[in-house]
């Protein structure tokens, strides 16, 4: 290779992934935080109110996330109406019933979805069923666990702790990646993510939940630390999970609800994992 050719390859980066995108400045971080504030305030109010209001909030969040996901997977022809209906059914079953009722909705969803796909007469039934159920069991179950967690003893406080740790962890990962990011975390999934980002984010999530617990007399330091570690671990997994789906779909963002900052699925991907993990940790703690 000539010197000029070597230079071009070095600038292009490994495996032709293209030149590394410039990292956004502090103004972008501020904008992301400001965009999240109204939703965070609304969430705290509805978490405090609880009852049907919080269940409807979970249904709304789930439905918006499902719409964005099914748009990403449009080539697989998911049946959005069944996915959203199943999510509504699971959340209401959690609100007015128990885990057994939620399981019954999950079970009945599969044959109902099959019959709808057959009735529509569309091709590639297997991918249509698979893509629809991905939304149900990823997003639908997550918002259902949000309702289940809210109903546990001191669930209101734990939901806030989990979401706070998730938000701080996500923000810390962004800052850590910008300041210290060098080594790619998963270049085939998300080329711009580095090991430094999740490391800083995980530390921030643990500290945030632990400090929040110090203001809650019913939350022991051990449980606060455990909850913080779980949030710190599952948050980045949720973020990478959505990145895999977006990469397969060939899209940078899942939606445009927040303009250049993506959709609600982009902002809540980590919480879809942490709220589920948080439920089982707290369920074990109170029983």
């Amino acid at each position: 290779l000539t010197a000029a050719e070597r230079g071009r390859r070095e600038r292009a980066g490994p495996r032709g992934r293209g030149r590394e995108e410039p990292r956004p400045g502090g103004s972008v971080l501020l904008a992301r935080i400001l965009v999240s504030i109204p939703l965070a305030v609304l969430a705290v109010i509805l978490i405090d109110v609880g009852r049907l209001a919080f269940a409807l909030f979970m249904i709304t969040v789930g439905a918006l996330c499902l719409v964005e996901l099914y748009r990403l997977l449009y080539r697989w022809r998911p049946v959005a109406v069944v996915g959203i209906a199943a999510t509504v059914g699971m959340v209401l079953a959690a609100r007015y019933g128990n885990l057994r009722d939620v399981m019954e909705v999950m079970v009945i969803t599969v044959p109902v979805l099959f019959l709808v796909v057959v009735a529509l007469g569309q091709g590639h039934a297997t991918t249509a069923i698979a893509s629809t159920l991905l939304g149900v069991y990823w997003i639908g179950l997550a918002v259902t666990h949000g309702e289940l967690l809210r109903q546990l003893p001191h669930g209101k406080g734990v939901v806030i702790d989990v979401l706070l740790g998730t938000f701080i962890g996500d923000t810390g990962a962004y800052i850590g990646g910008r300041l210290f990011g060098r080594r790619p975390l998963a270049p085939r999934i998300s080329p711009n993510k580095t090991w430094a980002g999740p490391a800083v984010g995980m530390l921030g999530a643990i500290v945030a939940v632990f400090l929040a617990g110090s203001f809650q007399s019913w939350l022991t330091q051990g449980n606060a630390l455990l909850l913080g570690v779980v949030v710190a671990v599952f948050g980045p997994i949720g973020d990478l999970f959505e990145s895999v789906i977006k990469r397969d779909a060939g899209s940078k963002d899942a939606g445009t609800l927040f303009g250049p900052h993506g959709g609600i699925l982009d902002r809540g991907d980590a919480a879809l994992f942490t709220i589920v993990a948080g439920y089982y940790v707290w369920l074990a703690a109170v029983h």
Side-chain angles (χ1 to χ4, degrees), residues 95-166:
R95 174 70 186 89
Y96 296 107
N98 51 40
L99 276 174
R100 177 179 176 178
D101 299 310
V102 174
M103 179 65 71
E104 289 174 352
V105 176
M106 291 170 57
V107 170
I108 197 65
T109 296
V110 177
V112 169
L113 174 58
F114 168 70
L115 292 176
V116 171
V117 170
V118 171
L120 292 175
Q122 62 187 45
H124 304 291
T126 302
T127 55
I129 293 172
S131 58
T132 306
L133 291 179
L134 171 63
V136 172
Y137 296 129
W138 171 30
I139 296 171
L141 271 179
V143 295
T144 299
H145 278 79
E147 172 61 33
L148 290 170
L149 178 56
R150 175 62 181 79
Q151 294 182 27
L152 290 178
H154 303 294
K156 175 173 66 175
V158 177
V159 171
I160 293 176
D161 291 344
V162 169
L163 294 181
L164 175 65
T166 303

Side-chain angles (χ1 to χ4, degrees), residues 193-209:
K193 286 184 173 62
T194 62
W195 283 97
V200 174
M202 291 173 72
L203 178 61
I206 294 171
V207 172
V209 176

Side-chain angles (χ1 to χ4, degrees), residues 13-284:
R15 299 192 179 185
R17 285 190 286 114
R19 187 178 300 177
E20 183 179 358
E21 298 178 3
R23 292 181 179 175
S27 60
V28 175
L29 174 61
L30 179 61
R32 290 179 61 174
I33 294 175
L34 292 176
V35 163
S36 302
I37 288 177
L39 184 59
V41 171
L42 177 62
V44 170
I45 292 174
L46 292 175
I47 291 169
D48 184 59
V49 172
R51 305 186 181 231
L52 180 59
F54 181 68
L56 292 177
F57 177 62
M58 289 289 92
I59 288 173
T60 302
V61 171
L64 291 174
C65 288
L66 284 170
V67 168
E68 292 183 350
L69 174 66
Y70 291 150
R71 283 177 180 171
L72 282 176
L73 305 179
Y74 72 96
R75 289 174 295 181
W76 287 13
R77 297 185 178 181
V79 186
V81 65
V82 175
I84 294 173
T87 297
V88 173
M90 287 191 296
V91 174
L92 292 180
R95 174 70 186 89
Y96 296 107
N98 51 40
L99 276 174
R100 177 179 176 178
D101 299 310
V102 174
M103 179 65 71
E104 289 174 352
V105 176
M106 291 170 57
V107 170
I108 197 65
T109 296
V110 177
V112 169
L113 174 58
F114 168 70
L115 292 176
V116 171
V117 170
V118 171
L120 292 175
Q122 62 187 45
H124 304 291
T126 302
T127 55
I129 293 172
S131 58
T132 306
L133 291 179
L134 171 63
V136 172
Y137 296 129
W138 171 30
I139 296 171
L141 271 179
V143 295
T144 299
H145 278 79
E147 172 61 33
L148 290 170
L149 178 56
R150 175 62 181 79
Q151 294 182 27
L152 290 178
H154 303 294
K156 175 173 66 175
V158 177
V159 171
I160 293 176
D161 291 344
V162 169
L163 294 181
L164 175 65
T166 303
F167 174 74
I168 296 298
D170 184 61
T171 304
Y174 177 84
I175 296 174
R178 285 191 62 239
L179 295 179
F180 311 112
R182 296 293 183 273
R183 185 180 177 185
L185 174 64
R188 293 186 178 181
I189 298 175
S190 185
N192 292 327
K193 286 184 173 62
T194 62
W195 283 97
V200 174
M202 291 173 72
L203 178 61
I206 294 171
V207 172
V209 176
F210 186 79
L211 290 179
S214 66
F215 295 95
Q216 298 164 319
S217 58
W218 45 266
L219 185 59
T220 66
Q221 290 185 337
N223 285 336
L225 182 60
L226 175 60
L227 196 61
V229 170
V230 168
V231 170
V233 170
F234 281 89
I237 296 176
D239 184 47
L240 285 174
F241 186 89
E242 194 219 4
S243 294
V244 169
I245 294 173
K246 289 191 296 185
R247 190 170 184 83
D248 283 348
S251 177
K252 180 179 180 294
D253 294 316
T256 58
L257 184 63
F258 299 120
H261 305 289
I264 191 169
L265 189 56
D266 297 304
R267 301 277 66 84
D269 52 5
L272 293 176
F273 272 55
T274 59
I275 202 74
V276 176
Y279 168 77
Y280 289 105
V281 168
W282 191 240
L283 180 66

